[in-house]
Structures are given as C-alpha cells and as structure tokens.
Amino acid sequence: MSEQLSYLGVPLTRPKVGFFELSSCEGCQLQLLNNEATLLDFLNLVEIVNFREGMSERADTYDIAFVEGSVTRKDEIARLSEIRKNAKILVALGSCACFGGVNQLKNRFRDLEWVKKEVYGDFPIESMEVHPLADFVRVDLEIFGCPIKKEEVERIVTNLVLGKAVHHPEYPVCMECKANENICLFELGEPCLGPITRAGCDAWCTSNRRGCWGCRGPAESANLTQLEEIMRTYGFSSETLLDRLECFGGFASFTETIRSRGKKTPSKRKKP
Amino acid sequence: MKLSCEVNVHHLTRVEGHGNIRISIKNGVVKKAQWEVVETPRFFEAMLVGKHWENAPYICGRICGICSIGHTLASIRAVENAFGITPSAQTTTLRLLLKHMETLQSHILHLYFLAAPDFLGTGSVLPLTKTHPQVVQQALRLKLLANDACDIIGGRRLHPTRTVVGGFTMLPEKAELETIRQRLLSSVSDLLASAELFKTFAIPDFSRETEFVSLKGETNYPFIGGALVSTDGVLKKEHQYRAMTNEYCKTGFTSKLSRLSRPSLAVGALARLNNNFPLLHPAAQEISISLGLEPVNHNPYMGNVAQLVECVHVVLDSVHLIDTLLGTPWQEPRQPVHAKKGEGVGAVEVPRGILYHYYKFDSLGKVIKADCVIPTSQNHANILHDIEALASQYAKAGKKDREIELLAEMLVRAYDPCISCSVH
C-alpha cells in the first residue's frame, strides 16, 4: 500500500477522490467495495477523502467527485452544486445519475400529488420530478449501468489518474452478446433491447439469458424502427417495448417518439 | 456528576443511507434524544402501478444495492403466491443458497467494514489494512466467496440477472458449485478467527427490553416464507403481514415506522436468533454461546454477534444445500407463468430483518397496488427508543460527549440500517 506509483517512468499523484450519493440504492458505490480481489490495488491508486458509506473522516476538497443517484428533492440540488464547486472532475456514477434511473418511472404519471398520496397517504412529504445530474450541473464524465460494471469503473478511474482519454463503446450490446457466442434471446422467446443499447457491460444480462432492459442508454446510432420491427416479428407488444425503454430513463426521447405516435397514451392518472 | 452534552451527528457515516442523531443533555437531564431519517423517498410502490407483473421483481430489486437479492426473491415470491405458482424443489434450494450467500456478503460487509472500525478505534477499514492486515484479508476472502457464489447462482452479485418468476433463466455449472463448496469449507477457519476477534471486542453493556419479530422456522432456521412470530407471543400468517407491521408516518422520518404489542419492535439477525435459536446449525449455536449470546438477548449491540453467528450457520448450511444439488440431476430451470387476477405476499428474511412485498394484479397481470415493508423501517422506532434510553442511562453515568456520541453511533450501526431501503 501507498508505494509511489509511476507510469512510463513519470511519478503519479494519487488524486483525492470523494464518493457521494443522492437518491439511489447506493449499489454503485457498493460495487466499488465489491472489488475484493483488486480492492487494495484500487484504493492505492487514489486517496479517498470522502466516502460516507465506508468511512467517518470527511474532507471537502477533492479532485474527482463520483456522484451516484438522481435529483429528487430541492436540497439535493444544493448538495450537488456544492460538490460541483469543490471538484475538478465530476463523474455521474450509474444510470440514476446519468438518466434518472428507475427513480424517473414516477415521472410518467405527470401527477406528483397522486404519486405522493399513493405511498404516504395524507402525510406531507417533499419530492419533485426526478432529474439526472446534468440537468443542474456540468457533468464531466458519465459511467453508465444499473449497476455500474466494476471492471469498467476501474479502467475509467485508471485512465483518469493517468490522464488518458476515456471512451465509451459506440456500438450496441448486441455486438458483445454475439462475441460471447450466446443464443439470441429473441430465439428463446425473450424481448431484448440489446440491438439498441450502448455496449460496455460485456452483455452482462444477456449472457445470463436475461433480455437487456437498456440500463446503459442508447448506442450512438440506435435504430429504434428496426427494433420495433424485430419486436413485432417475435410477437411482443409495443407495451413490452415501452416497459423496457422507459425503465432507466436513457431512452426518454424514444419513448416520447412511440407515445407521440399514439400507440400508448401517457399513464396520466386522475387524483383519487 | 451532573452532565451536559450536545451530540449532533448529521448524516451518520458507515451506514447505508442518510440519518441523523441528536442528543441534548442539560445538567444530567435528557432534553432531546432523537433518531431522524432524512433520506429522499423514491416511491417504488407508485412506480409499479400499471406495470406488467414481470417488471415487479426487476424494478423492486433496485430498492437496495446491498440486499437486492432479498428484494428480488421477496418480489418473486409475492408474484408466485398471487398466481398460485409453487416453485420446484430445485428452485427452492437454489434460491435459499443464493439467499445464504447474500446474507454472508452483507453481514461480512457490515461486521468488518462498518462496525469493526469502532471496536478497533479507527474511522474506517482503511487504517486496518496496515494495523490488522490479516483481519482485512479474512474479510475480503469471505466477502469474495459470497459474492462469487451470488454471481454463479444469480448471475450477478448485485441486482441479480437469473432470478425470475417461475425459477431461474439458467443454472450454474455443477463444477462451479463444487468449487464454491470447497471454498465454503475452507472459509470456516476464517469465521472461527472472526469469532476469536469478536471475543476481544468490548460490547457495550446496554439493554432495553423489546419485542423481536421474525419468520418462524418449522424444521429449519427460516429465511424464505412461512409463519410470522414475535417474542411477545404474536403469531401470524405470511399474508397477514400488515397486522404484524402496522406502518405509520411520523414527523422527522421520511421512512414509515412500525409497532406491534409495544411502542416499537426489532427485526434482524438478533430477532431471528432470539426466535429460532434451536434451529441454528449446532456449530453456530456453540459459537453463539461462546460469545455470550443466548435467547432472548435484549442488548442491541449484540446484533453484531448475531450476524457473525448467522455467517457460521449459512456457510455450513450452504455446504449441505450444495450436496443436495450435486446429488440430483438438473431439472428444467424455470416453469411457465400464467398471470391471473389476484394478490400475493412474499416474506423473506433479508440481512437486516423480515421484508414483505405485496402486489395486487388485474386479470391481465398488471399491478393495481404494491406495498413493500422494509426491515429497517420496522427498526426505526426501536432505534429511536434505544437512543432515548441510552442517553438517559449515560447521562446518569456521567459519560463524556464524545463517548455518548460514539456509543449512539455504534448503536445505530449495530442495527445495520439500510436507510435508502427503508425509505424506498
């Protein structure tokens, strides 16, 4: 631990790193602790100065801030702005931070009062429409996934420390799935967003015979029309397609497109 | 000595989620002793309304990153109960094995990364990598084993991919299970070393009588489904969970709270152990007794010890489950699902206590109503009352600010609260 690291003979400075969470399951931060085999090496690469879930010490200056979760309450906007002010690089960690994640599913009702009443009855509770981080602050880097893939985070953090560029794959999960020599899930009777979802997870779900739900958002040139055609061919309803497209928020523009064609009206609910 | 002290812990560290502790003592009199939950609600129960049944376990698993397997299994059980599906023996065994491995990874995470630093006088596990490298290595080995097993059975250690209504999308290789079996047997020495380490920890001498609620085991220490029981003698069926939890809202808590026969109740490892001690593996019972834990124990700090005892139980029981699986040829991994109108409850013991998922479906299998009652929300009132009792006891004893602050923090941590989960 703590030996001086170098890259190409140049000594490296361990960046000060802070981890923060807004509305989330804290699963993405947990993924970092789940790197048991490489955890100590990973910890040696950075200096963790703020990680509420893992340590009591706190500091307010850090080079890189990893922020998990989406914004669902006003005080979170203030916290996020403060983190942005203190950090040189702000990284949106996971689908909630990047797109709103599953949390944004409540937005589809377009009636916050009904949502609050459904869960808390008449007890007053504060909440707002769910937003990703980038709606309020500048985000320097996004790490997609629900949850994030630990190998990908380690690669990205290593690149950040070394000052190397970070690139996301532009192609879809389908490519990784094929490379893993899996049977196509459509052939097994499973709907799948693999043809349009951004790769980088090594076809994590589909290699486990679970159709893709699009947690990483759209690939660079996602062909929605073609996917709709495939879904139709295999007998899946547009409702099944919509369920998946709207699950993590990455395909918001796609769901709007489908809805605006009138195939399904928004689930506007009346106040009880 | 008349003590005055102010404890203001904003966003307690080394717990999952956001909670505050506020204690104010003036001249030996407790003016305020509070536990507050300020976590932002996410409204999972509303999110599901109008969604097709297959969304429920997938979305609700994401209530929590630490116990996502437990949430997924409770959700699946609720759907299966609503549709009248009985899982096969193979599915039941695999699910329990997966559940055991989640319990192991979560308990080890809590014991070593969140709780142990208090007993060893540090702010985090990081300094322990230098002062107690063998302890950290033990923890990492145990946690890696549990997580690898979750990958093999559930497809992923967090937000599992293979667990579905009706069974699994695919099965592990038997050779993989054999490897896990060997690693489980090797891990026993790490657990025995953990027990020796915990014997050196000074567990605070504090006790407050409470009602413990858990599943009631029949022939096995319970984890998935069955009757609900309390130490005050309440016995309910799984579908009567509302009568067992009585959720209510309270100012200062974005989470709901629960009560039963008393103003508060406790769930979790200590509750399970208090209610089901004779069903623990004999080796786990032996370790429990050697650590001074026998039912009914009312010291909340002993929750840590109960978790360690459960680690021994789940490791040894997992070896037995794998032997069963290895001794039988694989059957079909999943059975077909036919949606129908109805409602179902799934009760599962997740690491922090008993968890309930309930769904009501229309004839197309769409969710009309969803309800999730989370272990930590059931514990919040008990934590609050414990803090009140602790403040009053230590005000009389004349302890210093920092001492009371640390003991209050350790008390909350002993419940291993999953606050995001409790707010969901």
Side-chain angles (χ1 to χ4, degrees):
Chain A
M1 281 292 285
S2 299
E3 72 267 24
Q4 177 65 53
L5 297 172
S6 68
Y7 179 62
L8 301 175
V10 180
L12 287 175
T13 314
R14 296 163 80 216
K16 289 188 167 60
V17 169
F19 293 96
F20 305 90
E21 65 288 318
L22 305 178
S23 296
S24 70
C25 73
E26 299 196 12
C28 289
Q29 287 182 75
L30 189 70
Q31 274 292 77
L32 298 167
L33 287 181
N34 276 343
N35 298 356
E36 296 87 358
T38 51
L39 182 65
L40 298 182
D41 284 341
F42 179 72
L43 292 178
N44 198 29
L45 192 64
V46 295
E47 183 186 345
I48 299 182
V49 298
N50 206 319
F51 185 10
R52 192 195 49 76
E53 195 175 341
M55 61 198 271
S56 289
E57 299 85 352
R58 308 180 208 201
D60 289 328
T61 50
Y62 25 82
D63 301 303
I64 309 172
F66 290 92
V67 184
E68 175 184 348
S70 49
V71 179
T72 76
R73 207 167 58 190
K74 281 188 184 133
D75 62 313
E76 290 181 328
I77 303 174
R79 274 189 68 218
L80 179 61
S81 306
E82 187 70 21
I83 295 165
R84 173 70 270 182
K85 207 169 69 189
N86 295 338
K88 292 189 185 121
I89 298 170
L90 189 145
V91 183
L93 194 64
S95 298
C96 290
C98 297
F99 315 121
V102 288
N103 298 341
Q104 53 77 46
L105 279 170
K106 81 171 195 214
N107 293 359
R108 78 188 204 281
F109 294 107
R110 300 172 190 195
D111 183 350
L112 198 55
E113 289 311 309
W114 176 85
V115 169
K116 291 201 272 192
K117 210 174 170 72
E118 178 71 7
V119 180
Y120 286 92
D122 292 327
F123 184 76
I125 202 90
E126 195 188 338
S127 187
M128 54 185 249
E129 192 179 61
V130 173
H131 291 273
L133 309 186
D135 282 0
F136 301 102
V137 297
R138 192 185 79 245
V139 169
D140 301 302
L141 188 66
E142 292 175 303
I143 300 182
F144 307 113
C146 179
I148 53 168
K149 179 104 176 168
K150 59 173 190 166
E151 292 85 352
E152 190 182 21
V153 181
E154 290 192 352
R155 179 178 57 76
I156 288 174
V157 173
T158 307
N159 282 8
L160 278 175
V161 172
L162 298 177
K164 290 167 74 176
V166 176
H167 295 292
H168 290 295
E170 295 182 1
Y171 49 85
V173 169
C174 220
M175 301 274 280
E176 293 179 332
C177 194
K178 292 282 175 294
N180 286 344
E181 302 183 354
N182 295 321
I183 302 168
C184 179
L185 284 168
F186 282 108
E187 297 297 336
L188 293 173
E190 290 281 330
C192 183
L193 296 192
I196 59 166
T197 301
R198 186 191 293 276
C201 59
D202 196 26
W204 212 354
C205 296
T206 57
S207 295
N208 285 296
R209 293 204 182 160
R210 166 69 73 119
C212 175
W213 286 64
C215 73
R216 302 171 61 84
E220 292 298 313
S221 51
N223 189 338
L224 178 66
T225 313
Q226 190 60 41
L227 180 72
E228 284 184 290
E229 182 61 35
I230 299 171
M231 292 286 278
R232 254 196 309 275
T233 306
Y234 284 90
F236 296 110
S237 66
S238 56
E239 191 184 351
T240 300
L241 176 61
L242 260 179
D243 268 353
R244 299 206 168 201
L245 286 173
E246 72 184 4
C247 190
F248 294 100
F251 291 93
S253 58
F254 289 54
T255 52
E256 285 305 313
T257 306
I258 292 176
R259 283 191 170 130
S260 65
R261 276 192 247 130
K263 288 188 176 168
K264 188 189 177 194
T265 51
S267 315
K268 168 81 179 171
R269 295 190 65 96
K270 291 192 179 79
K271 284 180 194 179
Chain B
M1 192 180 82
K2 291 286 186 189
L3 170 108
S4 290
C5 109
E6 290 291 329
V7 172
N8 261 310
V9 180
H10 177 70
H11 291 182
L12 174 64
T13 59
R14 280 186 282 123
V15 294
E16 198 281 347
H18 299 97
N20 304 330
I21 303 171
R22 307 205 187 282
I23 298 174
S24 174
I25 302 171
K26 297 251 161 60
N27 297 322
V29 178
V30 179
K31 297 283 177 195
K32 182 169 69 177
Q34 284 174 343
W35 166 239
E36 301 166 348
V37 168
V38 293
E39 183 79 23
T40 45
R42 287 169 291 157
F43 300 92
F44 272 84
E45 288 130 329
M47 283 177 206
L48 284 189
V49 174
K51 287 276 182 192
H52 195 242
W53 60 269
E54 69 165 353
N55 288 265
Y58 191 78
I59 291 171
C60 280
R62 282 163 170 81
I63 286 176
C64 185
I66 301 181
C67 42
S68 57
I69 289 170
H71 274 283
T72 305
L73 293 180
S75 183
I76 286 173
R77 184 172 170 84
V79 179
E80 288 179 349
N81 281 341
F83 295 165
I85 296 171
T86 308
S88 69
Q90 172 182 291
T91 293
T92 306
T93 309
L94 266 175
R95 282 178 182 166
L96 182 57
L97 182 59
L98 180 61
K99 185 84 245 333
H100 277 356
M101 293 298 98
E102 177 183 69
T103 304
L104 182 63
Q105 71 82 15
S106 175
H107 282 0
I108 293 293
L109 171 75
H110 174 252
L111 290 171
Y112 281 92
F113 291 75
L114 311 184
D118 286 328
F119 292 100
L120 295 166
T122 62
S124 77
V125 74
L126 294 177
L128 301 181
T129 57
K130 292 199 187 75
T131 56
H132 298 71
Q134 75 291 355
V135 171
V136 177
Q137 289 299 341
Q138 275 164 20
L140 291 177
R141 266 198 301 271
L142 287 164
K143 201 160 152 320
L144 181 64
L145 158 64
N147 277 331
D148 284 351
C150 292
D151 283 351
I152 286 165
I153 305 157
R156 187 159 60 189
R157 58 194 59 190
L158 167 63
H159 302 328
T161 55
R162 295 184 181 181
T163 42
V164 287
V165 175
F168 287 82
T169 59
M170 64 189 285
L171 300 170
E173 299 287 336
K174 292 222 166 177
E176 291 175 321
L177 284 180
E178 180 62 48
T179 307
I180 293 296
R181 186 184 182 280
Q182 290 305 325
R183 287 174 65 186
L184 284 165
L185 289 172
S186 317
S187 75
V188 173
S189 60
D190 279 339
L191 286 170
L192 294 177
S194 304
E196 289 308 312
L197 175 71
F198 270 70
K199 278 179 192 164
T200 67
F201 291 172
I203 307 283
D205 181 22
F206 169 79
S207 203
R208 189 184 68 82
E209 197 175 301
T210 192
E211 181 173 23
F212 291 99
V213 174
S214 74
L215 284 173
K216 178 179 167 40
E218 295 296 330
T219 50
N220 294 304
Y221 195 77
F223 283 100
I224 301 177
L228 319 173
V229 71
S230 98
T231 41
D232 281 6
V234 181
L235 192 62
K236 299 279 175 200
K237 295 204 167 72
E238 195 169 359
H239 69 268
Q240 298 171 306
Y241 75 102
R242 281 197 188 90
M244 203 66 165
T245 54
N246 304 299
E247 282 202 309
Y248 64 99
C249 296
K250 181 179 165 67
T251 307
F253 289 82
T254 49
S255 158
K256 292 176 186 170
L257 298 93
S258 283
R259 63 185 155 219
L260 186 54
S261 317
R262 305 171 185 231
S264 66
L265 61 89
V267 298
L270 189 58
R272 279 192 292 265
L273 187 143
N274 277 334
N275 281 324
N276 299 284
F277 188 81
L279 297 170
L280 277 170
H281 190 282
Q285 281 185 29
E286 201 178 305
I287 284 178
S288 188
I289 293 166
S290 79
L291 285 161
L293 176 55
E294 287 180 71
V296 175
N297 187 300
H298 288 279
N299 179 348
Y301 294 97
M302 288 302 262
N304 293 311
V305 175
Q307 286 191 335
L308 182 60
V309 170
E310 285 197 337
C311 287
V312 177
H313 174 85
V314 297
V315 161
L316 295 172
D317 196 47
S318 294
V319 173
H320 165 70
L321 294 175
I322 291 178
D323 284 342
T324 308
L325 290 165
L326 291 177
T328 328
W330 282 136
Q331 314 289 315
E332 278 296 310
R334 66 199 282 192
Q335 51 179 301
V337 179
H338 302 291
K340 63 177 191 186
K341 188 177 173 178
E343 53 191 327
V345 178
V348 168
E349 285 283 357
V350 290
R352 285 149 202 85
I354 193 161
L355 164 71
Y356 309 93
H357 279 237
Y358 159 87
Y359 310 117
K360 186 175 185 183
F361 297 102
D362 68 11
S363 55
L364 297 172
K366 283 189 184 179
V367 178
I368 301 169
K369 181 81 188 166
D371 184 33
C372 305
V373 184
I374 311 293
T376 297
S377 68
Q378 296 169 67
N379 276 333
H380 280 321
N382 216 56
I383 297 175
L384 175 65
H385 292 312
D386 274 358
I387 286 186
E388 285 167 357
L390 180 129
S392 127
Q393 186 175 321
Y394 289 136
K396 285 186 200 122
K399 298 231 182 216
K400 301 264 186 317
D401 280 33
R402 180 58 203 135
E403 248 180 316
I404 294 185
E405 179 171 331
L406 180 65
L407 285 165
E409 287 193 357
M410 285 169 69
L411 181 108
V412 178
R413 285 190 196 112
Y415 281 89
D416 191 10
C418 214
I419 300 173
S420 307
C421 222
S422 76
V423 173
H424 64 291

